[in-house]
Amino acid sequence: QKEVEQNSGPLSVPEGAIASLNCTYSDRGSQSFFWYRQYSGKSPELIMSIYSNGDKEDGRFTAQLNKASQYVSLLIRDSQPSDSATYLCAVKSPDSWGKLQFGAGTQVVVTP
Amino acid sequence: NAGVTQTPKFQVLKTGQSMTLQCAQDMNHNSMYWYRQDPGMGLRLIYYSASEGTTDKGEVPNGYNVSRLNKREFSLRLESAAPSQTSVYFCASSEPRASGNTIYFGEGSWLTVV
């Protein structure tokens, strides 16, 4: 079982709709969670981090964390064609010092 | 504001050849990393350096060596390249804190081994 799992997609979302991405992780002691966006041919860039249970909002992005169920999600509201990218979930476990475990990513395609 | 710079961006190697990927960061971060990214596999950690003078293996270290030359620079060496090492390589750096660890990536190096 992979430590961080994501649906590979592609997730097709109409422009203006909400894109919902999910990520599950296996280490119950994990404390820090990150969402990276990666455009084709480019490097990953951090868009959200979340450390506590609940929701965290930043512009059109909302990260949701449920440690009891071991999942973290990302909502993209009012999806735009520029949101078309692969979204990587990353998890830091308490015993892994600064290292992150990455999921394989979910490809999002926003259609006009 | 360069951030993390890695070279070369593209390289084609023949099986058995050696090469070194160079990486430098200007953010005064203590920690540096080398990841590889393959289709459907996500980012996998090859080696990391928690601080200047230390290096440790990640998930997939076989076939690679690293050198933390100083606080800014962290190089990755392929001693005898194999087709299985065809991948995109990302160097990254961070300053781990108790509150979290934001990792910043370089632009990537596309390596093909034929």
Side-chain angles (χ1 to χ4, degrees):
Chain A
Q1 180 188 2
K2 295 179 72 172
E3 295 189 36
V4 181
E5 300 217 37
Q6 300 179 249
N7 291 327
S8 61
L11 176 66
S12 183
V13 180
E15 185 174 356
I18 296 175
S20 178
L21 291 75
N22 295 316
C23 171
T24 59
Y25 59 95
S26 60
D27 188 342
R28 186 170 288 277
S30 298
Q31 297 176 335
S32 306
F33 307 87
F34 306 85
W35 283 100
Y36 283 80
R37 177 176 62 199
Q38 186 176 25
Y39 292 114
S40 180
K42 301 296 185 181
S43 59
E45 57 177 332
L46 180 71
I47 54 172
M48 290 286 287
S49 60
I50 186 166
Y51 310 111
S52 304
N53 279 329
D55 296 358
K56 179 181 178 181
E57 186 175 315
D58 184 359
R60 295 185 297 110
F61 298 98
T62 298
Q64 299 174 317
L65 175 60
N66 184 323
K67 290 185 179 180
S69 300
Q70 294 177 243
Y71 83 78
V72 56
S73 62
L74 180 70
L75 301 178
I76 308 174
R77 292 184 301 281
D78 188 24
S79 295
Q80 302 296 310
S82 60
D83 295 325
S84 296
T86 296
Y87 291 79
L88 303 170
C89 174
V91 176
K92 177 185 173 302
S93 296
D95 61 346
S96 68
W97 168 79
K99 295 179 292 180
L100 300 183
Q101 285 284 341
F102 284 85
T106 298
Q107 184 186 6
V108 172
V109 179
V110 180
T111 55
Chain B
N1 193 6
V4 180
T5 303
Q6 54 182 110
T7 58
K9 192 170 179 69
F10 300 99
Q11 184 73 48
V12 178
L13 284 178
K14 294 183 179 179
T15 296
Q17 286 185 320
S18 63
M19 77 159 296
T20 299
L21 298 175
Q22 306 286 355
C23 176
Q25 52 93 8
D26 63 2
M27 294 177 281
N28 201 36
H29 287 164
N30 276 299
S31 304
M32 298 187 72
Y33 315 79
W34 277 104
Y35 285 89
R36 60 177 288 173
Q37 187 174 37
D38 304 291
M41 301 288 288
L43 287 157
R44 292 183 293 169
L45 184 64
I46 304 171
Y47 270 93
Y48 67 99
S49 171
S51 60
E52 184 179 357
T54 68
T55 60
D56 285 287
K57 297 178 181 179
E59 300 172 65
V60 288
N62 291 345
Y64 305 95
N65 284 301
V66 291
S67 295
R68 183 73 183 267
L69 304 171
N70 47 55
K71 189 172 184 178
R72 290 186 64 248
E73 298 173 287
F74 188 39
S75 63
L76 178 72
R77 183 162 178 83
L78 287 70
E79 292 290 352
S80 179
S84 61
Q85 295 178 304
T86 293
S87 188
V88 183
Y89 292 86
F90 288 100
C91 179
S93 72
S94 75
E95 190 58 47
R97 293 186 172 84
S99 59
N101 182 35
T102 299
I103 290 181
Y104 297 89
F105 289 88
E107 294 188 340
S109 297
W110 275 254
L111 176 65
T112 301
V113 182
V114 297

